[in-house]
Amino acid sequence: MLMNDKSIIQVEDLHKWFGMLHVLKGITFSVVPREVLVIIGRSGSGKSTLLRCINFLEDPSAGMISVAGVGVLTGPGIKPEHKKILALRLSTGMVFQEFNLFPHMTTIDNVIEGLVTVKRMKKDEAIPIGEKYLEKVGLRDKRDVHPIRLSGGQKQRVAIARALAMEPAVLLFDEPTSALDPELIGEVLDVMKEIAYDGATMLVVTHEMGFAKDVSDRIIFIDQGLIVEDGPPEQIFSNPKDERTRLFLEPLRKVQHL
């Protein structure tokens, strides 16, 4: 795929090895501003590893990653610049499967932690920003509550507010509903939909095919570390070009009523 000069994310020939295991096998794609890209595939296909390589939570084995104009080249014998990696991370906000909230901190303190420790903002300047994004996810009234008093869905919404508070160029969601009870999934997906409709650039790894169909601009299907299919949701769901995509989606259509 030729890279687009207007892309906010560019990934080119990305490889990741874990010992002898070749997890990502030359992944190339780009994302333009305000695009919602959903990444689907079977467990173990490399989806989460791809997301974690984009913000260098995992060190790529080889390839080029660029986010918001900051490009980092990796490969054997190449030592990426630490400053570039930090700059790239500042351009991404990550929402994990687990909520990763600090249990000893209140909701507002969890949300503003990055502003205070990473951006070196004074706490009294950070608090209004934190309150703004708690309002955004519908949890302004939980400002002074500790995580133990929150449901799983509320915890994940706090984690989304924490990512938003850093005002990143790109939001990365790594199966954000997979640790939730079924009745709590909807409240998190509703917040994500609102963020998408507001024009955020989002990469979402998910098994929620309804969200993928209704909200995404594009879907990538990954199988065994390779991009097998890349297209708009109507094409992926109605007329997949690759047999592997069709076989993956067939049982999900029945379960999720697609």
Side-chain angles (χ1 to χ4, degrees):
M1 179 190 297
L2 290 175
M3 292 302 182
N4 187 334
D5 288 341
K6 296 180 180 178
S7 299
I8 194 167
I9 298 175
Q10 296 183 345
V11 176
E12 188 168 3
D13 198 24
L14 179 65
H15 293 261
K16 178 61 182 177
W17 293 81
F18 290 104
M20 297 295 291
L21 185 62
H22 197 183
V23 177
L24 299 177
K25 303 172 182 176
I27 297 284
T28 296
F29 69 94
S30 62
V31 179
V32 298
R34 302 172 69 90
E35 186 173 19
V36 178
L37 175 67
V38 169
I39 303 167
I40 63 173
R42 293 179 176 81
S43 296
S45 60
K47 308 182 303 296
S48 293
T49 299
L50 170 59
L51 220 59
R52 293 171 68 87
C53 283
I54 288 173
N55 67 354
F56 281 79
L57 286 176
E58 294 285 355
D59 291 327
S61 301
M64 190 282 294
I65 296 170
S66 175
V67 179
V70 178
V72 181
L73 183 66
T74 64
I78 300 173
K79 187 173 182 180
E81 291 181 43
H82 186 60
K83 284 184 179 179
K84 281 193 173 184
I85 292 175
L86 290 178
L88 186 148
R89 283 179 178 160
L90 274 174
S91 295
T92 63
M94 184 86 167
V95 179
F96 301 90
Q97 296 178 33
E98 300 294 339
F99 324 117
N100 294 339
L101 301 180
F102 294 108
H104 64 288
M105 290 184 177
T106 62
T107 295
I108 187 66
D109 285 336
N110 267 285
V111 171
I112 67 172
E113 176 68 7
L115 295 174
V116 173
T117 60
V118 178
K119 291 195 171 182
R120 306 294 183 187
M121 194 176 287
K122 291 181 180 178
K123 188 172 181 178
D124 60 350
E125 295 173 345
I127 284 175
I129 298 173
E131 290 174 339
K132 169 186 172 183
Y133 287 108
L134 279 176
E135 183 77 37
K136 179 75 175 172
V137 301
L139 290 174
R140 178 68 175 78
D141 61 326
K142 302 295 184 182
R143 178 191 187 283
D144 299 313
V145 171
H146 285 78
I148 196 171
R149 303 274 303 277
L150 301 175
S151 70
Q154 289 171 333
K155 289 176 184 175
Q156 192 61 293
R157 284 151 63 196
V158 172
I160 292 171
R162 177 181 58 191
L164 289 170
M166 296 294 283
E167 299 184 338
V170 174
L171 288 164
L172 309 176
F173 293 84
D174 185 11
E175 300 197 35
T177 60
S178 65
L180 299 178
D181 293 332
E183 67 271 16
L184 301 177
I185 290 172
E187 66 186 70
V188 172
L189 292 179
D190 285 344
V191 168
M192 292 172 62
K193 287 177 185 177
E194 185 177 344
I195 295 167
Y197 296 149
D198 283 347
T201 306
M202 298 167 59
L203 269 70
V204 184
V205 171
T206 186
H207 290 287
E208 298 294 331
M209 295 299 116
F211 175 88
K213 186 177 183 181
D214 295 341
V215 183
S216 71
D217 298 298
R218 246 171 80 216
I219 296 174
I220 285 176
F221 174 62
I222 294 182
D223 187 59
Q224 297 183 2
L226 294 166
I227 293 179
V228 171
E229 195 146 0
D230 180 346
E234 55 270 20
Q235 179 245 302
I236 297 291
F237 284 102
S238 300
N239 189 29
K241 296 177 182 177
D242 193 281
E243 180 70 4
R244 288 167 289 182
T245 312
R246 189 190 67 76
L247 289 172
F248 171 75
L249 289 173
E250 195 62 40
L252 295 174
R253 283 200 189 96
K254 296 173 183 176
V255 173
Q256 299 190 21
H257 308 293
L258 297 172

